[in-house]
Short mmCIF file of all heavy atoms in Angstrom, two decimals:
data_model
loop_
_atom_site.label_atom_id
_atom_site.label_comp_id
_atom_site.label_asym_id
_atom_site.label_seq_id
_atom_site.Cartn_x
_atom_site.Cartn_y
_atom_site.Cartn_z
N SER A 1 108.52 135.05 95.54
CA SER A 1 108.02 136.32 96.08
C SER A 1 107.10 137.05 95.12
O SER A 1 106.62 138.14 95.44
CB SER A 1 109.18 137.22 96.52
OG SER A 1 109.93 137.64 95.39
N SER A 2 106.82 136.48 93.95
CA SER A 2 105.78 137.02 93.06
C SER A 2 105.14 135.86 92.31
O SER A 2 105.77 134.84 92.04
CB SER A 2 106.35 138.03 92.07
OG SER A 2 107.00 137.39 90.99
N ALA A 3 103.87 136.03 91.98
CA ALA A 3 103.13 134.95 91.31
C ALA A 3 103.61 134.75 89.88
O ALA A 3 103.55 133.63 89.36
CB ALA A 3 101.63 135.26 91.33
N VAL A 4 104.08 135.81 89.23
CA VAL A 4 104.60 135.66 87.87
C VAL A 4 105.75 134.67 87.87
O VAL A 4 105.82 133.75 87.05
CB VAL A 4 105.04 137.02 87.29
CG1 VAL A 4 105.72 136.83 85.94
CG2 VAL A 4 103.85 137.95 87.15
N THR A 5 106.68 134.85 88.79
CA THR A 5 107.81 133.94 88.92
C THR A 5 107.34 132.53 89.28
O THR A 5 107.86 131.53 88.78
CB THR A 5 108.80 134.45 89.97
OG1 THR A 5 109.22 135.77 89.62
CG2 THR A 5 110.01 133.55 90.08
N ALA A 6 106.35 132.46 90.14
CA ALA A 6 105.86 131.16 90.60
C ALA A 6 105.35 130.30 89.46
O ALA A 6 105.47 129.06 89.51
CB ALA A 6 104.76 131.35 91.64
N MET A 7 104.77 130.90 88.43
CA MET A 7 104.19 130.10 87.37
C MET A 7 105.24 129.32 86.60
O MET A 7 104.97 128.22 86.11
CB MET A 7 103.37 130.99 86.43
CG MET A 7 102.15 131.63 87.10
SD MET A 7 101.18 130.48 88.13
CE MET A 7 100.67 129.27 86.90
N GLY A 8 106.46 129.85 86.51
CA GLY A 8 107.55 129.08 85.93
C GLY A 8 107.91 127.89 86.80
O GLY A 8 108.22 126.80 86.30
N LEU A 9 107.83 128.08 88.10
CA LEU A 9 108.09 126.97 89.03
C LEU A 9 107.03 125.89 88.92
O LEU A 9 107.32 124.69 88.96
CB LEU A 9 108.12 127.49 90.47
CG LEU A 9 109.32 128.31 90.89
CD1 LEU A 9 109.10 128.88 92.29
CD2 LEU A 9 110.58 127.46 90.87
N VAL A 10 105.77 126.32 88.78
CA VAL A 10 104.68 125.35 88.66
C VAL A 10 104.91 124.43 87.47
O VAL A 10 104.76 123.20 87.56
CB VAL A 10 103.32 126.08 88.54
CG1 VAL A 10 102.21 125.10 88.17
CG2 VAL A 10 102.98 126.80 89.84
N ALA A 11 105.30 125.02 86.34
CA ALA A 11 105.55 124.22 85.14
C ALA A 11 106.78 123.34 85.31
O ALA A 11 106.77 122.16 84.92
CB ALA A 11 105.72 125.14 83.93
N GLY A 12 107.83 123.87 85.92
CA GLY A 12 109.09 123.13 86.02
C GLY A 12 109.12 122.07 87.09
O GLY A 12 109.99 121.19 87.06
N THR A 13 108.20 122.13 88.05
CA THR A 13 108.21 121.16 89.15
C THR A 13 107.02 120.21 89.08
O THR A 13 106.77 119.47 90.03
CB THR A 13 108.19 121.87 90.52
OG1 THR A 13 107.00 122.67 90.62
CG2 THR A 13 109.41 122.76 90.69
N LYS A 14 106.29 120.22 88.00
CA LYS A 14 105.11 119.38 87.87
C LYS A 14 105.45 117.91 88.14
O LYS A 14 106.44 117.38 87.63
CB LYS A 14 104.50 119.52 86.48
CG LYS A 14 103.17 118.82 86.31
CD LYS A 14 102.58 119.09 84.93
CE LYS A 14 101.23 118.39 84.79
NZ LYS A 14 100.64 118.66 83.45
N ASP A 15 104.64 117.28 88.97
CA ASP A 15 104.78 115.86 89.33
C ASP A 15 106.09 115.56 90.07
O ASP A 15 106.54 114.41 90.12
CB ASP A 15 104.70 114.97 88.08
CG ASP A 15 103.38 115.13 87.34
OD1 ASP A 15 102.34 115.31 88.02
OD2 ASP A 15 103.39 115.10 86.10
N ARG A 16 106.68 116.59 90.68
CA ARG A 16 107.92 116.38 91.45
C ARG A 16 107.66 116.39 92.95
O ARG A 16 108.61 116.21 93.73
CB ARG A 16 108.95 117.47 91.09
CG ARG A 16 109.38 117.48 89.64
CD ARG A 16 110.25 116.31 89.27
NE ARG A 16 111.53 116.37 89.92
CZ ARG A 16 112.62 116.91 89.37
NH1 ARG A 16 112.54 117.46 88.16
NH2 ARG A 16 113.75 116.92 90.01
N GLY A 17 106.43 116.62 93.37
CA GLY A 17 106.10 116.61 94.80
C GLY A 17 106.70 117.77 95.58
O GLY A 17 106.97 117.64 96.77
N ILE A 18 106.86 118.91 94.92
CA ILE A 18 107.44 120.09 95.57
C ILE A 18 106.32 121.09 95.84
O ILE A 18 105.56 121.45 94.94
CB ILE A 18 108.54 120.71 94.71
CG1 ILE A 18 109.72 119.73 94.61
CG2 ILE A 18 109.01 122.05 95.29
CD1 ILE A 18 110.82 120.19 93.69
N ASN A 19 106.24 121.55 97.07
CA ASN A 19 105.22 122.52 97.47
C ASN A 19 105.68 123.92 97.10
O ASN A 19 106.82 124.30 97.35
CB ASN A 19 104.99 122.44 98.98
CG ASN A 19 104.52 121.07 99.41
OD1 ASN A 19 103.44 120.64 99.06
ND2 ASN A 19 105.35 120.38 100.19
N ILE A 20 104.76 124.71 96.54
CA ILE A 20 105.08 126.07 96.11
C ILE A 20 104.16 127.06 96.80
O ILE A 20 102.94 126.85 96.86
CB ILE A 20 104.96 126.21 94.58
CG1 ILE A 20 105.99 125.31 93.89
CG2 ILE A 20 105.15 127.67 94.14
CD1 ILE A 20 105.83 125.24 92.40
N ALA A 21 104.74 128.12 97.32
CA ALA A 21 103.98 129.24 97.89
C ALA A 21 104.38 130.51 97.15
O ALA A 21 105.54 130.64 96.72
CB ALA A 21 104.27 129.39 99.38
N ALA A 22 103.43 131.43 96.97
CA ALA A 22 103.72 132.62 96.17
C ALA A 22 102.90 133.81 96.65
O ALA A 22 102.02 133.68 97.51
CB ALA A 22 103.45 132.34 94.70
N VAL A 23 103.21 134.97 96.07
CA VAL A 23 102.56 136.24 96.44
C VAL A 23 101.87 136.83 95.20
O VAL A 23 102.42 136.77 94.10
CB VAL A 23 103.59 137.25 96.98
CG1 VAL A 23 102.90 138.52 97.46
CG2 VAL A 23 104.41 136.62 98.09
N ASP A 24 100.70 137.43 95.40
CA ASP A 24 99.87 138.12 94.42
C ASP A 24 98.83 137.18 93.82
O ASP A 24 99.13 136.03 93.49
CB ASP A 24 100.67 138.75 93.26
CG ASP A 24 101.61 139.85 93.72
OD1 ASP A 24 101.34 140.42 94.79
OD2 ASP A 24 102.59 140.12 93.01
N VAL A 25 97.63 137.71 93.67
CA VAL A 25 96.57 136.95 93.02
C VAL A 25 96.48 137.38 91.56
O VAL A 25 96.38 138.55 91.25
CB VAL A 25 95.20 137.15 93.71
CG1 VAL A 25 95.13 136.36 94.98
CG2 VAL A 25 94.92 138.62 94.00
N GLN A 26 96.58 136.42 90.68
CA GLN A 26 96.35 136.62 89.26
C GLN A 26 95.70 135.35 88.75
O GLN A 26 95.75 134.30 89.39
CB GLN A 26 97.65 136.93 88.52
CG GLN A 26 98.74 135.88 88.70
CD GLN A 26 100.08 136.34 88.15
OE1 GLN A 26 100.56 137.41 88.49
NE2 GLN A 26 100.68 135.54 87.28
N THR A 27 95.08 135.42 87.59
CA THR A 27 94.22 134.34 87.13
C THR A 27 94.93 133.00 87.08
O THR A 27 94.42 131.99 87.58
CB THR A 27 93.66 134.68 85.74
OG1 THR A 27 92.99 135.94 85.80
CG2 THR A 27 92.68 133.60 85.28
N ASP A 28 96.13 132.95 86.49
CA ASP A 28 96.81 131.66 86.37
C ASP A 28 97.25 131.12 87.73
O ASP A 28 97.23 129.90 87.96
CB ASP A 28 97.99 131.74 85.40
CG ASP A 28 98.95 132.88 85.70
OD1 ASP A 28 98.76 133.60 86.70
OD2 ASP A 28 99.90 133.07 84.91
N ALA A 29 97.62 132.00 88.66
CA ALA A 29 98.02 131.54 89.99
C ALA A 29 96.82 131.01 90.77
O ALA A 29 96.93 130.00 91.48
CB ALA A 29 98.70 132.67 90.75
N ILE A 30 95.67 131.68 90.63
CA ILE A 30 94.45 131.20 91.28
C ILE A 30 94.10 129.80 90.76
O ILE A 30 93.78 128.89 91.53
CB ILE A 30 93.28 132.17 91.01
CG1 ILE A 30 93.45 133.46 91.81
CG2 ILE A 30 91.93 131.51 91.32
CD1 ILE A 30 93.20 133.31 93.29
N ASN A 31 94.18 129.63 89.45
CA ASN A 31 93.88 128.33 88.87
C ASN A 31 94.88 127.27 89.30
O ASN A 31 94.52 126.11 89.54
CB ASN A 31 93.83 128.43 87.35
CG ASN A 31 92.62 129.19 86.85
OD1 ASN A 31 91.58 129.20 87.51
ND2 ASN A 31 92.73 129.84 85.71
N ALA A 32 96.16 127.66 89.42
CA ALA A 32 97.18 126.71 89.88
C ALA A 32 96.91 126.27 91.32
O ALA A 32 97.11 125.11 91.67
CB ALA A 32 98.57 127.32 89.75
N LEU A 33 96.45 127.20 92.15
CA LEU A 33 96.11 126.85 93.53
C LEU A 33 94.93 125.88 93.56
O LEU A 33 94.93 124.88 94.28
CB LEU A 33 95.79 128.11 94.32
CG LEU A 33 95.34 127.94 95.77
CD1 LEU A 33 96.40 127.19 96.59
CD2 LEU A 33 95.05 129.29 96.41
N LYS A 34 93.91 126.16 92.75
CA LYS A 34 92.74 125.29 92.69
C LYS A 34 93.11 123.88 92.20
O LYS A 34 92.54 122.89 92.67
CB LYS A 34 91.69 125.88 91.75
CG LYS A 34 91.01 127.14 92.28
CD LYS A 34 90.14 127.78 91.21
CE LYS A 34 89.01 126.85 90.77
NZ LYS A 34 88.15 127.52 89.76
N ASN A 35 94.09 123.81 91.30
CA ASN A 35 94.46 122.52 90.70
C ASN A 35 95.60 121.82 91.41
O ASN A 35 96.06 120.76 90.95
CB ASN A 35 94.83 122.74 89.23
CG ASN A 35 93.67 123.27 88.41
OD1 ASN A 35 92.51 122.96 88.69
ND2 ASN A 35 93.97 124.07 87.40
N GLY A 36 96.07 122.39 92.53
CA GLY A 36 97.11 121.73 93.31
C GLY A 36 98.53 122.07 92.92
O GLY A 36 99.48 121.53 93.50
N GLY A 37 98.73 122.96 91.95
CA GLY A 37 100.09 123.31 91.55
C GLY A 37 100.75 124.28 92.51
O GLY A 37 101.98 124.36 92.57
N ILE A 38 99.95 125.04 93.27
CA ILE A 38 100.45 125.95 94.29
C ILE A 38 99.81 125.57 95.61
O ILE A 38 98.61 125.31 95.68
CB ILE A 38 100.13 127.42 93.93
CG1 ILE A 38 101.02 127.88 92.76
CG2 ILE A 38 100.34 128.35 95.12
CD1 ILE A 38 100.76 129.31 92.30
N GLU A 39 100.62 125.54 96.67
CA GLU A 39 100.14 125.16 97.99
C GLU A 39 99.48 126.33 98.72
O GLU A 39 98.46 126.16 99.40
CB GLU A 39 101.31 124.64 98.83
CG GLU A 39 100.95 124.19 100.24
CD GLU A 39 100.09 122.94 100.26
OE1 GLU A 39 100.18 122.13 99.31
OE2 GLU A 39 99.33 122.76 101.24
N ALA A 40 100.07 127.52 98.61
CA ALA A 40 99.55 128.69 99.32
C ALA A 40 99.86 129.94 98.51
O ALA A 40 100.90 130.04 97.86
CB ALA A 40 100.17 128.80 100.71
N LEU A 41 98.93 130.90 98.57
CA LEU A 41 99.05 132.12 97.79
C LEU A 41 98.66 133.30 98.67
O LEU A 41 97.58 133.32 99.25
CB LEU A 41 98.13 132.04 96.58
CG LEU A 41 98.27 133.08 95.47
CD1 LEU A 41 99.64 133.02 94.82
CD2 LEU A 41 97.18 132.87 94.42
N ALA A 42 99.56 134.28 98.78
CA ALA A 42 99.25 135.51 99.53
C ALA A 42 98.47 136.45 98.62
O ALA A 42 98.98 136.92 97.61
CB ALA A 42 100.53 136.17 100.01
N ALA A 43 97.20 136.70 99.00
CA ALA A 43 96.30 137.47 98.14
C ALA A 43 96.49 138.96 98.36
O ALA A 43 95.62 139.66 98.88
CB ALA A 43 94.86 137.06 98.40
N GLN A 44 97.65 139.45 97.95
CA GLN A 44 97.90 140.89 98.00
C GLN A 44 97.12 141.57 96.89
O GLN A 44 97.26 141.22 95.72
CB GLN A 44 99.40 141.16 97.82
CG GLN A 44 99.75 142.62 97.69
CD GLN A 44 101.23 142.87 97.49
OE1 GLN A 44 101.89 143.39 98.37
NE2 GLN A 44 101.76 142.49 96.34
N SER A 45 96.28 142.51 97.23
CA SER A 45 95.43 143.17 96.24
C SER A 45 96.09 144.43 95.71
O SER A 45 96.18 145.44 96.40
CB SER A 45 94.06 143.52 96.86
OG SER A 45 93.32 144.32 95.96
N GLY A 46 96.55 144.37 94.46
CA GLY A 46 97.10 145.57 93.83
C GLY A 46 96.04 146.65 93.71
O GLY A 46 96.34 147.84 93.89
#
């Protein structure tokens, strides 16, 4: 439910074939989406 939390998931599930969805746009989450680490991101604009 937040992108900060999601980044720990991205690191911990790498190469495990687990799809991750998260909330909030921040630089590392945007990059994770571009690189396939996140499947979907809700772009809530703070």
Side-chain angles (χ1 to χ4, degrees):
S1 67
S2 79
V4 174
T5 303
M7 296 315 299
L9 288 173
V10 170
T13 60
K14 187 176 181 180
D15 301 323
R16 299 288 293 266
I18 294 175
N19 300 294
I20 296 173
V23 185
D24 296 337
V25 284
Q26 56 190 52
T27 304
D28 51 4
I30 288 287
N31 290 331
L33 177 58
K34 290 171 62 178
N35 298 328
I38 288 178
E39 181 68 27
L41 191 62
Q44 173 181 249
S45 172

